[in-house]
Amino acid sequence: MSYAVAVRALCEFTAREGDLDLRFTPAPSGLEGMAGHAVVTGRRGPAYETEVALSGQYDTLLVRGRADGYDPVANRLEEIKTYRGRLDSVRDNHRAAHWAQARVYAHLLCQARGLAQVQVALVYFNVATEEETVLAESRDAAWLAAFFQEQCSRFLAWAGTELAHRQARDAALEKLAFPHGEFRSGQRELAVSVYRTARDGRCLMAQAPTGIGKTLGTLFPLLKASPGTGLDKVFFLAAKGSGRGLALDALDTLNAQPAAPGLRVLDLVARDKACEHPDKACHGDSCPLAQGFYDRLPAAREAALAVIQDEPHGRLDAPTVRAVARAHQLCPYYLSQELIRWSDVVVGDYNYYYDSTAMLHGLTQANQWKVAVLVDEAHNLVERARRMYTSELDQLTLAAARQAAPKPLKKALDGLQRSWTALNKKQVDAYQAYEAAPAGVLAAVQKAVAAITEYLGESPLAQDDPVLAFYFEALHFMRLAEQFGSHALFDVTRADGRGQGAKTPPSTLCVRNVIPAPYLAARHAAAHATVLFSGTLSPQQFYRDTLGLPADAAWIDVAAPFQAEQLAVKVVGNVSTRYRDRERSLAPIVDLIAAEYARRPGNYLGFLSSFDYLRQVSDLMRQRHPQVPIWLQTPGMGEADRAAFLARFTESGQGVGFAVLGGAFSEGVDLPGKRLIGAFIATLGLPQVNAVNENIKRAMDLRYGEAQGYDYTYLYPGMQKVVQAAGRVIRTEQDVGTVHLIDDRYRRAKVRNLLPSWWRVD
């Protein structure tokens, strides 16, 4: 059995050397790179060949790829690389890989065409000046063959281990039995649907309630389908750390089976949590863990996988990666990125696959991996993706950049300031939405970005330079503005309370993503199979529309394993929690909570719509019912404070924890048994009615019709939060509890239809 590898992947593995160097240098875009290649090849003679398909075998290793160009007249093989600025900005570790690629292609060419020798050339093309720099060497076929064999032998030992691991893994997965013997109620139905989705290469939306074991019920069938479908990797994506933790536990369970599949499980953590030297920049002149990174990487990579082979669970979690990184004096964050290539299951946040510069998506495309994506608590992806593809540009950031800017950049930044100020003067209200980014301002942003890009090519700036900070914001803003459509809004918010003394206050420009579907659709298409699962994916059409799912995406609604008798759902219809009625609602709410607590002492959660409302209710609770113990969620709670809040919910505990609906305690919290026996939800969770949300509603009206605009903007997102919060009460088939829905709008049929079907609402 052959192990196939692309020339680029081979050389990145074997030939990179030197420092990790992440100092920013402006790189050509994908389109600029393609255009640069076209310019170079267009300058060659009529006999010049482009995109020359080549392949070769070394033992069980099949190496393949496409050489950029070959000139048969000059007998010269060319590898073309585009860049901006100075040529010396191309890092040494990149140049080493570039030479290796050119030499491997040269060997494959000699082998394919029977050439005794060939000229090998690296062509560096500056996309700004269209200047070519050609670095060339003459090599005979024997030398190139030896070079090729050296690279392959380095890789083959690793590839052989990798191939053996994959064969053993797949054989074990084919025989793997469900670890708990029997499926829970509803879990088998979910697992069968996930297996078929993976087998057929489709998308699946799975609405499945708490308590059936969704995490194991999706991971197990997806992994079982891997051998037959040829999956390279599974990405498990979660919105919160609790979801990642459940996935790691489920994978530990699978790896602990008698015929363990030996899954290599990598848990990705954020850079700020992994960084050993946050005060240093990511390059060899600053950080000792970046110096010689690629020289020490092979040994660290081997050590990391050796460690997990000796562990019962095979988990490359943060402590394991950190320990290996310290032993080899490497950056743990970037070591974990390298280990993605050799992992079977990668667990991480949504942004690792769905963000505009997502690492997992980029590696999937570059390596042509066949992947399956599991999206945990997928209802969160709507709001998270909106933020990923929204960009703000603050005029005060521009002011800081203008003040710090070197002379060559003053003109472009001053021009943007003039265009921006002119827009501010025309705007009557503090907030205004526009049909698109005003052409004058957008053109000025583009000129400023172009000027900074050109300058950075010649004179790199420090990472903390205000010009660089503005540049990154402007780049993201410009790219989204150029993709503007009916899925987005452009709005300007003038800071009337800031910039005293200025005739026209500064403002913030925003390209606001309303419907993330256009961006997410491409990510779904890049995966062989995608499974989005949650306890709340209703109404399904809302999620189909906003998440960009293909028309043939399957749907399953798994029946809850609970009985209606387990949960008493009571509508308190004589109270309004609308903003105008808040004052009148306080006494009925606290009296209701106190009465229910007196009837059945135990642990309760009380959910309010805001911290201000929470404070008013808790203050009155202390005044009128001081005998009821209470504790509060506070703004900006850290991990320790959140843990302390949840620690109050013990089996023998009593009291009421007040929290904000949609916050840290309304989903992803597991308090089974007597740790939580009831919840009071004093809100419909509707987003605040303000100018931004009203413009979002108008965009929804235009896209989906006026009948859906309000529901898509307000009702569905609000009720999703309500159902998630209520879901904290019943976690197992033995739990019994009560939920009070406090607001007269819960009497409406349209609202009640959005509640789980197994609830019996009084």
Side-chain angles (χ1 to χ4, degrees):
M1 182 177 180
S2 289
Y3 186 100
V5 64
V7 171
R8 178 175 175 178
L10 169 71
C11 297
E12 285 183 348
F13 183 89
T14 61
R16 282 185 303 178
E17 59 187 29
D19 297 351
L20 175 71
D21 194 337
L22 297 177
R23 283 175 287 197
F24 177 78
T25 54
S29 67
L31 289 176
E32 287 175 327
M34 287 190 290
H37 275 65
V39 171
V40 172
T41 57
R43 292 172 175 173
R44 304 301 187 251
Y48 191 81
E49 303 173 31
T50 62
E51 295 292 309
V52 183
L54 296 166
S55 65
Q57 191 85 23
Y58 178 82
D59 201 344
T60 57
L61 188 64
L62 174 64
V63 182
R64 60 193 180 192
R66 291 181 179 273
D68 289 331
Y70 173 61
D71 185 345
V73 176
N75 190 26
R76 185 165 78 177
L77 184 288
E78 294 187 331
E79 180 70 10
I80 303 168
K81 301 296 182 183
T82 57
Y83 72 100
R84 280 185 176 277
R86 299 197 312 261
L87 183 57
D88 60 13
S89 68
V90 180
R91 308 300 185 206
D92 289 342
N93 61 74
H94 291 159
R95 288 199 189 202
H98 296 165
W99 269 118
Q101 288 178 51
R103 290 163 178 166
V104 168
Y105 279 127
H107 161 72
L108 296 176
L109 183 74
C110 287
Q111 187 180 59
R113 303 196 180 185
L115 302 178
Q117 62 179 21
V118 69
Q119 190 177 61
V120 186
L122 272 182
V123 181
Y124 285 103
F125 179 78
N126 188 319
V127 296
T129 65
E130 297 196 347
E131 177 186 2
E132 288 183 39
T133 301
V134 179
L135 308 177
E137 61 181 22
S138 292
R139 296 292 183 184
D140 60 42
W143 189 95
L144 292 170
F147 180 85
F148 175 76
Q149 290 164 10
E150 181 185 1
Q151 308 310 306
C152 289
S153 62
R154 284 189 204 172
F155 187 84
L156 192 57
W158 186 269
T161 303
E162 178 68 11
L163 189 58
H165 162 73
R166 181 161 179 165
Q167 289 172 336
R169 178 201 73 184
D170 287 353
L173 285 174
E174 288 177 340
K175 299 176 183 177
L176 186 67
F178 189 66
H180 300 312
E182 294 184 0
F183 288 91
R184 296 182 190 176
S185 176
Q187 196 177 35
R188 176 180 289 279
E189 183 185 1
L190 174 63
V192 169
S193 293
V194 172
Y195 183 89
R196 289 172 177 166
T197 297
R199 180 196 64 193
D200 299 338
R202 299 178 63 195
C203 287
L204 171 68
M205 297 171 64
Q207 180 168 268
T210 296
I212 71 164
K214 293 193 292 290
T215 304
L216 189 58
T218 52
L219 275 167
F220 172 75
L222 198 56
L223 290 166
K224 284 288 289 181
S226 293
T229 56
L231 284 179
D232 294 304
K233 301 187 186 302
V234 171
F235 300 151
F236 187 101
L237 309 176
K240 298 183 178 180
S242 56
R244 297 204 338 259
L246 289 172
L248 293 171
D249 290 343
L251 290 161
D252 284 351
T253 299
L254 293 174
N255 264 342
Q257 297 307 294
L263 295 167
R264 295 171 177 170
V265 178
L266 175 65
D267 181 25
L268 291 176
V269 297
R271 180 174 173 175
D272 59 348
K273 293 183 179 179
C275 183
E276 295 275 12
H277 298 291
D279 59 322
K280 294 180 170 59
C282 293
H283 57 81
D285 295 337
S286 175
C287 180
L289 301 185
Q291 192 173 56
F293 178 90
Y294 291 107
D295 300 329
R296 296 191 297 276
L297 175 61
R301 183 169 51 212
E302 189 170 348
L305 297 190
V307 166
I308 63 170
Q309 285 172 357
D310 297 333
E311 295 293 327
H313 299 315
R315 184 196 287 189
L316 282 165
D317 55 14
T320 301
V321 174
R322 185 179 294 272
V324 172
R326 282 178 172 172
H328 293 267
Q329 284 296 291
L330 291 179
C331 170
Y333 177 70
Y334 288 101
L335 174 59
S336 71
Q337 287 195 14
E338 291 293 332
L339 292 172
I340 291 170
R341 303 169 190 271
W342 315 106
S343 300
D344 302 310
V345 183
V346 181
V347 179
D349 188 88
Y350 292 164
N351 66 286
Y352 285 113
Y353 187 77
Y354 287 110
D355 206 343
S356 58
T357 56
M359 175 172 50
L360 292 179
H361 176 258
L363 287 171
T364 297
Q365 296 294 93
N367 293 281
Q368 298 181 322
W369 289 333
K370 196 175 192 180
V371 303
V373 179
L374 286 174
V375 185
D376 178 44
E377 300 295 353
H379 61 273
N380 288 303
L381 185 56
V382 178
E383 190 55 39
R384 286 287 301 277
R386 281 176 171 168
R387 293 202 296 269
M388 290 176 197
Y389 295 95
T390 289
S391 178
E392 291 186 341
L393 199 57
D394 193 321
Q395 202 165 7
L396 293 183
T397 307
L398 171 61
R402 290 175 65 213
Q403 187 172 2
K407 187 175 180 180
L409 298 180
K410 292 285 189 184
K411 182 178 179 181
L413 294 177
D414 288 349
L416 174 56
Q417 172 68 10
R418 286 192 297 272
S419 295
W420 200 331
T421 301
L423 176 65
N424 292 342
K425 289 179 178 179
K426 292 178 183 177
Q427 184 166 307
V428 177
D429 299 321
Y431 171 86
Q432 185 173 330
Y434 296 78
E435 291 186 2
V441 172
L442 183 56
V445 171
Q446 291 168 333
K447 287 180 181 178
V449 166
I452 298 172
T453 299
E454 185 176 351
Y455 181 84
L456 290 173
E458 299 296 331
S459 307
L461 297 172
Q463 292 294 322
D464 58 353
D465 193 292
V467 174
L468 203 57
F470 170 77
Y471 177 69
F472 291 145
E473 284 188 15
L475 264 179
H476 190 215
F477 174 87
M478 184 182 73
R479 287 168 183 162
L480 290 178
E482 290 172 346
Q483 299 172 47
F484 191 84
S486 61
H487 61 276
L489 296 174
F490 179 83
D491 54 43
V492 181
T493 304
R494 201 174 59 231
D496 288 329
R498 294 155 59 193
Q500 282 80 5
K503 292 182 180 179
T504 305
S507 69
T508 299
L509 312 179
C510 182
V511 179
R512 194 179 304 278
N513 179 19
V514 176
I515 304 161
Y519 303 106
L520 300 182
R523 302 306 163 94
H524 302 324
H528 170 73
T530 301
V531 177
L532 303 100
F533 62 98
S534 168
T536 50
L537 281 180
S538 290
Q540 60 166 299
Q541 193 58 47
F542 168 70
Y543 291 100
R544 286 182 184 275
D545 288 342
T546 54
L547 294 179
L549 292 163
D552 66 346
W555 162 265
I556 182 175
D557 189 359
V558 180
F562 312 123
Q563 303 299 314
E565 292 74 20
Q566 290 181 251
L567 183 66
V569 183
K570 301 181 180 181
V571 170
V572 182
N574 61 340
V575 176
S576 167
T577 63
R578 298 170 181 84
Y579 185 78
R580 65 175 183 270
D581 300 323
R582 292 278 171 84
E583 192 68 31
R584 291 192 298 274
S585 73
L586 299 177
I589 290 172
V590 301
D591 291 347
L592 170 68
I593 293 174
E596 180 67 16
Y597 179 83
R599 185 185 71 81
R600 188 187 178 201
N603 292 319
Y604 293 85
L605 272 167
F607 291 102
L608 290 306
S609 57
S610 67
F611 282 107
D612 182 60
Y613 199 15
L614 184 154
R615 179 188 55 78
Q616 294 178 56
V617 169
S618 59
D619 286 350
L620 190 61
M621 191 80 189
R622 290 191 177 103
Q623 294 173 24
R624 292 172 72 106
H625 306 286
Q627 76 283 4
V628 180
I630 65 172
W631 55 97
L632 316 178
Q633 179 185 3
T634 56
M637 261 185 164
E639 289 186 19
D641 291 333
R642 291 197 297 270
F645 182 95
L646 292 174
R648 299 285 296 269
F649 293 87
T650 63
E651 282 287 326
S652 58
Q654 295 183 350
V656 182
F658 285 104
V660 171
L661 189 72
F665 304 111
S666 58
E667 64 175 272
V669 171
D670 196 25
L671 301 170
K674 293 183 179 179
R675 293 180 66 190
L676 182 67
I677 64 170
F680 305 91
I681 303 176
T683 174
L684 258 70
L686 306 182
Q688 184 182 15
V689 177
N690 56 33
V692 172
N693 285 332
E694 283 297 282
N695 277 303
I696 291 175
K697 176 185 173 297
R698 277 191 279 275
M700 294 290 191
D701 287 342
L702 291 172
R703 184 110 171 190
Y704 303 114
E706 292 188 14
Q708 298 286 12
Y710 175 83
D711 294 345
Y712 275 34
T713 306
Y714 294 106
L715 183 60
Y716 297 157
M719 289 302 297
Q720 172 264 311
K721 295 175 188 174
V722 169
V723 175
Q724 279 288 328
R728 302 312 96 202
V729 178
I730 304 298
R731 308 298 293 174
T732 73
E733 294 179 52
Q734 289 73 46
D735 289 352
V736 177
T738 305
V739 169
H740 287 82
L741 303 175
I742 307 172
D743 195 283
D744 59 274
R745 288 167 288 184
Y746 283 112
R747 291 173 170 172
R748 298 176 182 174
K750 188 173 186 178
V751 172
R752 289 202 180 195
N753 288 339
L754 296 173
L755 301 175
S757 58
W758 69 273
W759 286 10
R760 184 178 299 161
V761 183
D762 297 327

